[in-house]
Amino acid sequence: VTDIAFTGATLLDGTGAAAVPDAAVVVADGRISWVGRAVDRPRDPGLRVVDAAGKYLLPGLLDANVHLVMHVDPDVLLRYEPGLYDALVLEAAQVALRSGVTTVFDTWGPLAALRRVRDAIDAGRATGSRIRFAGNIIGNGGPWSPDFFPALGEGLSSSVVSAVNREWEHGVGADLTWMSAADVRHVVRDYLATSGIDFVKYAASAHAHSRLIAFSPDAQRAIVEEAHAAGLTAQACAQAPEALRMAIDAGVDLLQHGDLTGPNPMPDETLDLIVERRLPCVAFLGTRRRTDALLERGLHWGRTAVGLEQVILAKLTNDRNLIKAGAVLLLGLDMGVYGPSADTSPVFGPIRADDPEPTQLGRSHLSWLRGAVEHGMDPADALLATTSNIARAYGVDDQLGTVEAGKRADLLVLDANPLDDPDNYARIAYVVKDGAIVDRDRLPERPVLTGDRDA
Amino acid sequence: VTDIAFTGATLLDGTGAAAVPDAAVVVADGRISWVGRAVDRPRDPGLRVVDAAGKYLLPGLLDANVHLVMHVDPDVLLRYEPGLYDALVLEAAQVALRSGVTTVFDTWGPLAALRRVRDAIDAGRATGSRIRFAGNIIGNGGPWSPDFFPALGEGLSSSVVSAVNREWEHGVGADLTWMSAADVRHVVRDYLATSGIDFVKYAASAHAHSRLIAFSPDAQRAIVEEAHAAGLTAQACAQAPEALRMAIDAGVDLLQHGDLTGPNPMPDETLDLIVERRLPCVAFLGTRRRTDALLERGLHWGRTAVGLEQVILAKLTNDRNLIKAGAVLLLGLDMGVYGPSADTSPVFGPIRADDPEPTQLGRSHLSWLRGAVEHGMDPADALLATTSNIARAYGVDDQLGTVEAGKRADLLVLDANPLDDPDNYARIAYVVKDGAIVDRDRLPERPVLTGDRDA
Amino acid sequence: VTDIAFTGATLLDGTGAAAVPDAAVVVADGRISWVGRAVDRPRDPGLRVVDAAGKYLLPGLLDANVHLVMHVDPDVLLRYEPGLYDALVLEAAQVALRSGVTTVFDTWGPLAALRRVRDAIDAGRATGSRIRFAGNIIGNGGPWSPDFFPALGEGLSSSVVSAVNREWEHGVGADLTWMSAADVRHVVRDYLATSGIDFVKYAASAHAHSRLIAFSPDAQRAIVEEAHAAGLTAQACAQAPEALRMAIDAGVDLLQHGDLTGPNPMPDETLDLIVERRLPCVAFLGTRRRTDALLERGLHWGRTAVGLEQVILAKLTNDRNLIKAGAVLLLGLDMGVYGPSADTSPVFGPIRADDPEPTQLGRSHLSWLRGAVEHGMDPADALLATTSNIARAYGVDDQLGTVEAGKRADLLVLDANPLDDPDNYARIAYVVKDGAIVDRDRLPERPVLTGDRDA
Amino acid sequence: VTDIAFTGATLLDGTGAAAVPDAAVVVADGRISWVGRAVDRPRDPGLRVVDAAGKYLLPGLLDANVHLVMHVDPDVLLRYEPGLYDALVLEAAQVALRSGVTTVFDTWGPLAALRRVRDAIDAGRATGSRIRFAGNIIGNGGPWSPDFFPALGEGLSSSVVSAVNREWEHGVGADLTWMSAADVRHVVRDYLATSGIDFVKYAASAHAHSRLIAFSPDAQRAIVEEAHAAGLTAQACAQAPEALRMAIDAGVDLLQHGDLTGPNPMPDETLDLIVERRLPCVAFLGTRRRTDALLERGLHWGRTAVGLEQVILAKLTNDRNLIKAGAVLLLGLDMGVYGPSADTSPVFGPIRADDPEPTQLGRSHLSWLRGAVEHGMDPADALLATTSNIARAYGVDDQLGTVEAGKRADLLVLDANPLDDPDNYARIAYVVKDGAIVDRDRLPERPVLTGDRDA
């Protein structure tokens, strides 16, 4: 790989520092070797100089909550032997990369395929967004289990349903919720020793029955302690006020969709705690247009009589309060790639119908960023929410999240200032990953799900 | 009411003391006025003397866990306007009384009807077993909610389903699980101030999804504290090891079916705690014959992939350990009255099919007592489990549970020694409640559910 | 009963003759004793004279297709022991009578209750619209069977479902479709000998699976012949082109909803046959407003992939063609009485939602009459469709359907001319049945279903 | 291909003639060129002589009712793009061939794949049993439609369900039942002109709702006439007495499972008609062992309240009567190939559970033959039922079904006499198709479904 210098762009370095006009960034050996004013930049003869005058240079984006295999309809998964979902994972990682998201944190997915594709991308054998993944949400079952989308498995042989679920569960599924805290600890320890995952996620709230709690305080502490002992960060999926509080008390490093608390907003005490501890919190922000559309639909939530409307209104209150209080928010929105059959799927069809911005990797981060600004977040803070905040929350800020010498050379060069208008995140001039300019037109190389839809 | 002396019987007084042969018990004004050897008894002229020679006299039995309205099929409940289930409650109370169970603790039922019939019986306006009741299990929905038997409501108008559920929920239903602990406290406080219930029961485990936890430790403590502040005992429904432990830590006075912990037995630490604290624990004991039949059926448990077989085996381990360790066990078995349509009910039909001893109030306490002895419990301890243990657990041992002067005159006179053979609990000579001999042949006066079945 | 003379009204006698201004009608002993110009009327001293100047006098209306027990939700039916639906039948008959419909033909309902209430009304022991009924639709199951609304029985004990279905089936249910034509003949013969029904209706089309045929030509002929042999008219429920043709070929006297032929209109040959033979045909006419609303809903039909829209469009074609060709059409619309819980019923809720004129006895005949005129029917023909056409089709035109001397004195006196505006059928001055003026304000006497709704 | 002479075997030539001991059969150019006594056989030098002394030589077997794609669980079908089921078809054709069934009549399946594989086998590009097929059963929907196994499609996107069903329906699905007879005629005519099918099958009975009739007499006649006009035989699927009679009256050439008439046996008149007209009739015969097992299961039939037991008992009566009366019976049993997931399939699992001889191509014809003899059929007649009777019924008796000079050289050479014991049909020495000895050990070449199961 040739060394490259990007010169003349306005630098938004992701540290929160003021924009630097007419800057230059030099990348060498996959890393950022020099950052400064364009006039000062090194003049090595071997350097390929890319004129980025008038453009905006920022860190490659990170996404704190994706699911690279999210369209789990049988017609998608059953094309493959259980677990051999590499093609799906790779397509999604390439869709992300094409859109400037150079690192994705997959918070629930099929372990073996994720591990193989992560390793292939890390080793340069495949092109795609850098993947870091959790495997299962400890305590939940797989995609066709009662914890997620049992309706998708209703017409299937139970042996097939079990085989697919196991690819997500890997021994840390729903069975753990029947165990004592001591037994949970042992099972998690064994899992961490062999699974090759990058971080730990567990169920504080039960997933489908989100008003309920999956683990006792002792069990939650055991999981967090084992994660830390293995050198990994730990995060929790909480969806109700008390579960959120229990997760915080258990010592998690990151709250997934911490703004989702069911029909009642989080208590002030919890909000204060999140702010004071600077506890990173993925918020499921969306545009007003989308929120208004969802409010009109009158669906139910968490398999109870609670209306979706109430839940959205409580979430809006949480979002407003978190932003106002200056909480450390992260971009994330359960983004994945959906093929055309999702529109008539028994599970995803009703969710996507009438949604003006149905979740889709490669697009939905733009909704999030637009929504953040609409919610009153400073555009500069929104940039942090998708760069250095995420890197820090996941403990990879020594490598990723800012444009600073020594970091991995993941860059996004835009034709217009994203702080002026979040839509400008889509006006991509260059995506650079590990020091190389990505050939975006080639991605995804094998459009398994996106082919028909985008054709 | 005339004063009566029962003379010549062998006295099993429910205190754990040795049997007293040739004893006499005098009742006056609804209370036990004298207990001693027959030769010493008072000889008041107005005294009606009942010769009980050769018989066995013991306290009227108590049942720590019944549901007087348990057959909640639509064809039963929809005969009545929502809540007007007095006829069902009364029939069940009379079925219990007929069988020698003079006090029942209803741990989940329709509040208003239970209150009316309790009061009518207490006031002597109606005949029946003495009722003490909890109303709802705080945190759960009503009978046709997702927490219990939603299948029963599938063909019904949702307005009808809601109206019936409300008769159980009374404002302390599933909504509370979405609340902060502080809000739970306030709602429970208001409920206790107005509901007229006799004791508090709450969901530690979620009911249908029994592997999950309904309330955080803070919320559980709030409920228990409010109960105590209102002068009531508190009990929890726990069905998994960690939920059981959380309930104990929250300070409950009684564990409902504390032997049910899902597919894994309770940890030794929890067992030790129950034994050391002498924490009363309803155990769902059954006969070997019944257990064997249930083990063969291969049903699933708690709406998960866990097999009923595993759950029963874990329960048997718990039962064995609890009995061996000398835990304070109480008789209870979700007993209720079922009419003939239960046999073809979508919910109760499969449960009752192939069950050699399907649950039925008036009969199932005999199964329990037989099962206790089969499990190795001393017959004398089994007697305590259905008398003084229950009275003490519910804080009514100043009035009930033993044959001692000053207590309410609830007596059971048997033709044969129940310590020799638990079946002898069914060989009833007299049932005495509040000092009067019950005319058992008249009960139930209006056989709403039991008529056809027993005809 | 006093004899009465209605004088001064404009007479629309139901024969198709021109309106007679300033007419008089005398009723005596429950019959019409004299009809003529007011100036010529008899002047008996005992005659009560009702001044009807400015009003319009017409025959009491008939409805060729009602279901007096139509709201068959469990919460309605389970208030009663199976079959004891007399209160429901009577309320419906009174709702009809209050609205001027003096005779109703119930084409599917619980036999025993219908028979009892029919007889009570005929004998003057009860007040209500005159009932003539078919009992079951031969070949179909009861209301909670797969042929009608199995979803309503999903939460119920199967014994209860069967018991309720039997009240409709009375031995001539779905089992007959498994039989040879010869066996069908024998079963029907026995049924007609004992059931006390007034006319025969059978399933040409299968009810729920309306694209399918219930009986072979031989079996259909057997049913019609047995009906005729018993002195009864026979009608068929047909819902598809070929089934309609088969019913005509079998010799039926009346086609129920002959305008419903699924997604394809009836062939010209069938239309010609109906017209040439002057075969009476109930048409399910509705207003444009209602049709437009139903077209927008996109529901499915007959449990197939066929859209409701296609079915409605085909029906509109049939209606237009039948009216243009001068077919003998009859008013009918599956009218029944629905209580409030129908709005949230799993079956009736979705049907009624967004329907601007949900079916309701006492109101829906007005929709029909308005719809008929909107479809291009002459208002005078619409009057025949709800009077003499029906009487003739059911073979009771010697007694009912016109204002002629000798007929039963069933009259409707309106404040305004119904031929000017169908809404005027609702501007009722008097309803007369069997010679007596109905006290409409008292009806229904016991509002079982209509109470809450109309309160 | 070399010419071959099989010498010394006992010849059972499928004509009904007596066995010929020590016979010889010469095959040349794919045809039988000579049949006679071994001593008389031609002695061409190029002839490969196979010594079959002690063996039994009979025609290759035919199966009058298979479904080469029968295991239609989503996990099987969704491995392929809709319609690309060639691998499934080919495996099944090879499983059949391996077991001595050299020609199969597929009476419901995915048209395009069947056509491709049929043509490939006919052209010698692929190895397998000769396929003749009907494509769809005219009037029925595809495998996941309400007519067959809608439960299998419940978790799938509706677009996927439709796409798969279309591969069976090919424009002659359930929509036809909504049409007039004239329209049915036109659609069928167009279908026959382009589909390349070998024979016509239509729904006399509706498939899932087997008590109901799918087509009027006029429509049935139209279908049969169009088939005959196209030079094809026509057969009907009938499952109830009247539907069976209607099919006969419509002029069909073959009755599929004519012994299945629901809970009531066929009337004597129908039986007589079948016998007199020598109307070929596939009978679903089975062994006593299997019948007894099915009788014990208490399942329901045809989505009605009718018990499977009644249906089986009626079928047994029909079978006994048909055999006794000498009806022309054909072997057939809906045989297909099932993979391991069928055992836990929501549809096939319950059907196969407790079935001692679950349907499987390559095995179930042995059950049929054993069952025929158990039912009292002469073993020689059973041989005709799987050879010449089928060839004649399908109009291919000029080519297939007997061992006669000029016929296609499809032969089965057995090690033991199948007339002594039907199990001997499994003691295969050689299978010859089109004059070549089949290398049975290689089949199936690609075991898609049978691999795991048989491993």
Side-chain angles (χ1 to χ4, degrees), chain A residues 10-20 56-64 100 102 285 328-332 365-366 368-373 376-392 400-403 410-414 416-422 424-425:
Chain A
T10 301
L11 174 65
L12 302 163
D13 68 4
T15 66
V20 180
Y56 293 80
L57 191 153
L58 44 157
L61 306 185
L62 295 85
D63 189 322
T102 49
L285 301 182
V328 178
L329 299 185
L330 314 181
L331 176 145
H365 66 289
L366 301 171
W368 193 99
L369 290 159
R370 223 175 302 133
V373 174
M377 192 185 291
D378 188 288
D381 288 338
L383 174 59
L384 302 185
T386 184
T387 54
S388 54
N389 283 2
I390 295 177
R392 207 152 39 233
L400 302 171
T402 59
V403 182
D410 290 0
L411 305 175
L412 178 59
V413 183
L414 301 173
N417 190 349
L419 305 189
D420 289 347
D421 180 348
N424 292 340
Y425 281 101

Side-chain angles (χ1 to χ4, degrees), chain A residues 107 136-141 147-148 172-173 176-177 184 200-221 223-224 234-258 260-261, chain B residues 177-178 204 206 211-217 242 246:
Chain A
T107 69
N136 197 29
I137 302 170
I138 294 174
N140 283 336
D147 289 328
F148 286 90
V172 291
L176 270 71
T177 57
V184 168
V200 166
K201 183 178 183 185
Y202 75 88
S205 295
H207 197 268
H209 301 278
S210 51
R211 67 182 181 96
L212 301 172
I213 294 162
F215 285 113
S216 72
D218 286 349
Q220 295 197 33
R221 261 190 305 272
I223 296 169
V224 172
Q235 62 185 257
C237 169
Q239 302 189 56
E242 288 294 300
L244 184 65
R245 180 59 187 259
M246 287 172 75
I248 295 171
D249 291 348
V252 296
D253 305 294
L254 187 158
L255 297 168
Q256 268 304 350
H257 44 75
L260 270 181
T261 55
Chain B
T177 58
W178 286 114
R211 67 182 181 95
L212 301 173
I213 295 162
F215 285 114
S216 72
E242 288 294 301
M246 287 172 74

